Amino acid sequence: MFDRRVEQVRQQDAAAKVAVIAEGGGDAAALLGLVRLSHWLLGAASTCGVGSSSSGGGAPGEQDARQLLPEGLGSSRRLVTDVGALPHPQSTPYRILVDSGTGTTAIGLAIGIALLGLPWTVVGIMLAGEESYYRSQAQQLLSSFLQRYGPELYGIGRAEATGLGGARGGSSTVGASATAAAAEAGGAGEASAGALPLQWVPRLVPRRFGKVFPQDIATCKQVAQSHGIGLDPIYSLSAWELACWEAQQAAVAAAAAAPAAGAVDAGMGGVTATPVVMLHGGGALGLHGLAQRYPGAF
């Protein structure tokens, strides 16, 4: 994204000296912490026990449960639950929603999930570019990651870097399938990002990057007052909105399926459809800049 801006500056002033200092978001080294996060999510589930929460006994849907949508943003029977681990991580196809600027967080988490052979899917909400940019970013980061860390951390040589599920620690059926798909798509030892458990989706209300609508700030205020969750309108609000929408759809589908099934087995949040997990990436620093742009709202 910055390359185009640098080129524009250079064209405007041939004598200009422009240096781009990488902040780490688009570097392979940044993926290590995200791979570690995926290990932590799985390890926490093993430590806490399947289906338990950090606050004690009881079903996941009964621990500190809150309605996902604040009043005025729609109604939903879906509950969001604070848990110390993701229940049944090896068999539950979680959808993990991540707001995506450079896309590094979503890509790194997807790499970690593929290495572990987990049936989870990362959903990256595109905020700063088209899908072609994010696909290119995923391919570049995956290739760089395997070239730099594959042999050292996972015993993957360059000729073997066609998939991730066959790495150490990713021996499940899902991981094997990912490896086969990557080998077919990548070819000639080139890792294929298309085999990652990763989807790119647009924001529910599309806009150019950085654009803030008045109702966005109002929504962030309402969520903070209702749930104590701090959101910013540029990044984390996009993941919250999609999580709310998907949770509503899941609640409707579960309600429709309940009569036919006879009973609904209470999963995470009390709904049997694919659980939606929002990964809160922060964004609080951005609120300071917004307060300067819109002082009346703060």
Side-chain angles (χ1 to χ4, degrees), residues 103-130:
T104 307
T105 302
I107 295 165
L109 195 59
I111 290 175
I113 290 170
L115 285 168
L116 291 170
L118 296 169
W120 307 348
T121 299
V122 178
V123 180
I125 297 103
M126 302 180 294
L127 302 177
E130 301 293 333

Side-chain angles (χ1 to χ4, degrees), residues 13 17 28 34 36 45 127 133 135 151 161 165 187 201 207 232 235 247 249 251 253-254 271 293:
D13 185 357
K17 295 182 179 179
L34 296 159
R36 183 179 181 181
L127 302 177
Y133 160 75
R135 289 186 178 276
V201 299
R207 79 282 303 272
D232 77 285
Y235 290 101
Q249 301 304 307
V271 178
R293 288 171 58 188

Side-chain angles (χ1 to χ4, degrees), residues 15 106 141 189 214 242 250 277:
L141 284 174
L242 183 60
V277 179

Side-chain angles (χ1 to χ4, degrees), residues 58-81:
E62 298 171 355
Q63 298 295 331
D64 192 20
R66 301 169 295 190
Q67 284 197 352
L68 183 62
L69 293 177
E71 190 174 345
L73 292 180
S75 60
S76 174
R77 293 171 55 194
R78 177 79 168 194
L79 297 179
V80 63
T81 310

Side-chain angles (χ1 to χ4, degrees), residues 207-208 210-217 233-234 290 293-294:
R207 79 282 303 272
R208 62 174 172 78
K211 175 69 175 177
V212 176
F213 297 122
Q215 62 267 30
D216 293 338
I217 298 178
I234 295 179
L290 288 172
R293 288 171 58 188
Y294 310 101

Side-chain angles (χ1 to χ4, degrees), residues 112-236:
I113 290 170
L115 285 168
L116 291 170
L118 296 169
W120 307 348
T121 299
V122 178
V123 180
I125 297 103
M126 302 180 294
L127 302 177
E130 301 293 333
E131 185 172 353
S132 58
Y133 160 75
Y134 286 99
R135 289 186 178 276
S136 174
Q137 184 82 331
Q139 185 61 60
Q140 182 268 319
L141 284 174
L142 174 60
S143 299
S144 298
F145 177 81
L146 290 179
Q147 289 172 10
R148 185 183 299 187
Y149 302 111
E152 177 183 358
L153 299 181
Y154 301 103
I156 305 175
R158 291 187 61 131
E160 300 169 289
T162 54
L164 296 172
R168 297 170 189 168
S171 57
S172 73
T173 305
V174 175
S177 299
T179 302
E184 182 179 354
E190 177 68 17
S192 173
L196 292 175
L198 177 61
Q199 297 177 2
W200 298 110
V201 299
R203 190 168 185 168
L204 283 182
V205 182
R207 79 282 303 272
R208 62 174 172 78
F209 180 68
K211 175 69 175 177
V212 176
F213 297 122
Q215 62 267 30
D216 293 338
I217 298 178
T219 300
C220 290
K221 282 184 176 181
Q222 193 170 10
V223 173
Q225 292 168 356
S226 301
H227 303 297
I229 299 175
L231 301 174
D232 77 285
I234 295 179
Y235 290 101
S236 53

